[in-house]
Amino acid sequence: MAVETRVTAFQSAQQRFDAAAEVIGLSDDARRGLREVKRELTVHFPVRLDNGGVHVFTGWRVQHNISRGPAKGGIRYHPLVTLDLVKALAMLMTWKCAAVGLPYGGAKGAVACDPLKLSQNELEHLTRRYATEIAILLGPEKDIPAPDMGTNPQTMAWIMDTISMHSGHSVTASVTGKPVDVGGSEGRVDAPGRGATYLTLEALKYLHVEDEIPTMAVQGYGQVGRSTARLLSEAGLRVVAVSDSKGGVYNPKGLDLAALEEHRQVRGSISGFKKAENITNEELLELPVTVLVPAAVQDQITADNAAKIRARLITEGANAAIAPEADPILHEAGTFVIPDIIANAGGVIVSYFEWVQDLQAFFWEEEEINTKLHHVITRAFYEILHTSVNKRIDMRLAAYALAVQRVANATTVRGIYP
Ligand code: GLU
């Protein structure tokens, strides 16, 4: 019997890089450098729990590449995170920043923990100690964290405060995605969803979708999923299905999002919402909708279910929601994909605006932020689209080709030290 060899998250990321390197004809020397991460720091640190006991947690901060500027990327709190996954996500951040033209390299951090099982007090101690352990890498000119799965503006405020205490003064530009009260940016919370919304509307125009009211299904009702659903419904789409980790709800006539939000606030989950039928996460992905937004976790659309997807357009809200084997299946079926690398880049774009505002100590109004976000993300969309059409490759490969070329140019022109 053949032994099944599972490809790890980092190997998948490398495969995607290899495919892009092939498209742009990158030299072997350049490939060797960019296939690996630059720095990987593993930390084990104790935290005193509320019951008086001590638990030793493991965390990481990985920088993939810093040729184009400081390392940038979120911090994830999740029980199943591994160094391999953090390396893959750090590499993705390098390409994401380059794809939308931000002067950053890519990084990612994580702590293996379940934030839902920790009290606020425990989370604060864990965050401050983790920030201290990785502080040798951090700083406004070196590496700037932001929220990711399981972390939020409060987490960023604690990290900012910890770094500031070590420095003896407030270092607001040391993290992004902070609360507005401590140098955060207007519009940052909704930014990933807003970016996804702008791109979805642009793609519907490009695809000449003539549905009277385009429908959409959203998998994952976290920060990205919720704001994408709300903003696209404000733009005239009909949200027919949403789900969270416990399952989904479906109503072909459209969901009342305000009532759903009320239900979620009270019950802590969307399941059990009346005026809709219950469906599983798998069923949601296969619904006959115009737009599908997988905004939950990685590897949701795979070789097993890609052929069953009926959406005309997929806006990949969650990083790596589509597994590499699913890409060609979707491409051949004519499903248009806005890949993660640009679909959720609204977050890091407004993070960049936040960092610029902090460095200047001069703050912009939300309208200005949204206008600038629209400009940056739409320009990136058309650059990627032109590459995709000209080279006859799918949108993801086109985005990677552009991004890898930019990073390779920076690496080459800087040369090898010493
Ligand atoms: N964690 C988000 C991402 O994966 C945001 C990163 C940032 O703003 O630096 O893109």
Side-chain angles (χ1 to χ4, degrees), residues 251-267:
N251 183 343
K253 295 206 183 91
L255 297 167
D256 177 346
L257 292 184
L260 183 69
E261 186 52 24
E262 222 178 285
H263 176 95
R264 192 185 71 88
Q265 301 271 352
V266 176
R267 301 277 196 91

Side-chain angles (χ1 to χ4, degrees), residues 72-75 93 96 108 144-148 176 188 319 344 347-348 351:
K72 187 85 190 81
I75 288 176
M93 284 310 297
K96 191 186 290 188
K108 203 80 174 192
I144 308 124
D148 198 81
T176 60
R188 176 62 183 82
N319 287 328
N344 62 27
V348 72
S351 274

Side-chain angles (χ1 to χ4, degrees), residues 171-249:
V171 192
T172 53
S174 56
V175 296
T176 60
K178 305 176 289 294
V180 173
D181 299 313
V182 287
S185 179
E186 297 291 347
R188 176 62 183 82
V189 172
D190 272 337
R194 193 173 293 279
T197 298
Y198 291 150
L199 294 171
T200 303
L201 295 175
E202 219 55 55
L204 289 174
K205 241 194 293 174
Y206 166 69
L207 295 170
H208 297 293
V209 170
E210 275 162 11
D211 305 4
E212 207 179 317
I213 302 180
T215 54
M216 65 183 282
V218 182
Q219 188 205 30
Y221 213 51
Q223 192 52 56
V224 180
R226 277 206 309 281
S227 49
T228 311
R230 176 172 52 78
L231 293 166
L232 276 171
S233 104
E234 281 168 19
L237 273 74
R238 177 180 293 153
V239 181
V240 295
V242 299
S243 67
D244 60 21
S245 57
K246 296 192 180 117
V249 289

Side-chain angles (χ1 to χ4, degrees), residues 308-327:
K308 298 187 201 142
I309 303 290
R310 288 188 278 173
R312 175 78 188 87
L313 163 66
I314 301 178
T315 305
E316 193 184 14
N319 287 328
I322 302 176
E325 327 78 76
D327 277 339

